[in-house]
Amino acid sequence: MEEVHEEFAVISNDRKPETLNQLLRLRNLFSKALVKMPRDYLVKMIFDRRHLTYTMFREDGSIVGGLCFRPFANRGFVEVVFLAISSTDQVKGKGTRLMNHFKEYCKRDLGIKYLLTYADNFATGYFRKQGFTEEITLQTSVWKGYIKDYDGGTMMGCRLYDHIDYRDIASSMRELIREVYETVTNPITKTEIHPGLTSFPVDISSIPGLESLRGASDDSWNAKAWTIESQIGSIIAAAMKEPSSWAFREPVDEKQVPGYHSVILNPIDLSSMKAKNDRREYKTREDFRADVKLMIDNCVLFNGPRHEITRRGQETVSLMFSRIDKIVEYATPGEW
Ligand code: ACO
């Protein structure tokens, strides 16, 4: 497979000569790709200081494509004004890559989880493949009058999810599929047939009937807590089975390790974490992460950073951290 070395940067009109040069190069790319868009309008949008352009560069500094956008941070959405990939690079997956990186940037750097656009009718197929739909779940009063609309365009929106890493979609999807598979193969309650899905859901709590298979009640908070508990439970169970975790499975016995409790004031181990999880004391993945971190910090403090037990502990903990990052904290309608 071809290796990809593109880089991304956000460009906005700071009036520096180098930036103005980049914006002119973007204008040329946009005006070649968006032939129907008046040139004056294009220039106005790109150089307007309220707009920014998320830009994809090749290693040699040339531009592959760009996405001109305007963040409405206090309204909780970003307007995608237009985007284009240079004509020689289209339909090679670059537009998808640009959009995925942009989504992660919106989520992580701007803290915004909703994208809106008036998609050119020729490009709605592309937007649909990027997760945009014509059903806008953001309240109309939030965006109406703020988005530029134009004839020949279709209003589309895309909600971004915390549990998906858009720059690594493949592993996020694998994790979702594993979750669904584990649930449907270990049902707790009776089987019931629901209508089929029309598209792959990014939020598995939206799958009809799945929550009832998991034994959750109608209370959405309980459903969420149950779900987090089940995921944490499976991480602890997997860690217990790791050969490297032998020293961390049970509380340290003072008789076998004299002086341990005078050095380590907050001991923690995998069995104690399991007990806490069974009591539903972990409300978020960060609560759980804090205990896993405490376990390895205690180990370093007592044994030193180079000790064999510390090395083995780090193996267990890094496996746990990578799975904690993927814990799905289900969104309930009240949260967005
Ligand atoms: N219509 C329907 N489907 C499309 C289109 C399109 N215009 N363009 C791409 N796709 C599909 C591809 O076939 C591909 O499908 P697949 O995953 O089943 O193979 C998928 O979308 C992703 O394609 P990419 O290769 O990632 O897309 P590309 O790199 O070509 O970028 C883009 C898409 C930005 C639309 C590019 O083709 C382009 O610059 N076109 C001209 C400018 C344009 O139309 N911009 C959008 C205007 S609307 C707006 O900006 C709000």
Side-chain angles (χ1 to χ4, degrees), residues 17 19 24-25 34 40 71 91 94 123 127 129 145 156 158 163 168 185 229 256 271 310 321 324 329 331:
T19 312
L24 283 172
R25 284 157 61 205
L34 295 157
D40 289 353
V91 204
K94 309 276 185 198
F127 280 102
K129 288 190 171 164
M156 298 183 90
C158 177
H163 63 274
D168 186 12
T185 51
E229 182 200 337
Q256 286 174 5
S271 299
T310 305
F321 278 158
I324 290 171
E329 289 184 321

Side-chain angles (χ1 to χ4, degrees), residues 82-85 90-93 95-96 117-118 120 122 125-126 129:
F82 46 72
L83 87 156
I85 294 292
Q90 287 175 14
V91 204
K92 292 179 185 166
T96 302
T117 193
Y118 256 98
D120 189 298
F122 292 104
Y126 160 79
K129 288 190 171 164

Side-chain angles (χ1 to χ4, degrees), residues 194-220:
H194 292 271
L197 297 167
T198 49
S199 61
F200 189 84
V202 283
D203 178 0
I204 67 170
S205 61
S206 69
I207 300 176
L210 198 72
E211 287 303 336
S212 63
L213 278 182
R214 302 161 82 100
S217 75
D218 286 344
D219 179 334
S220 56

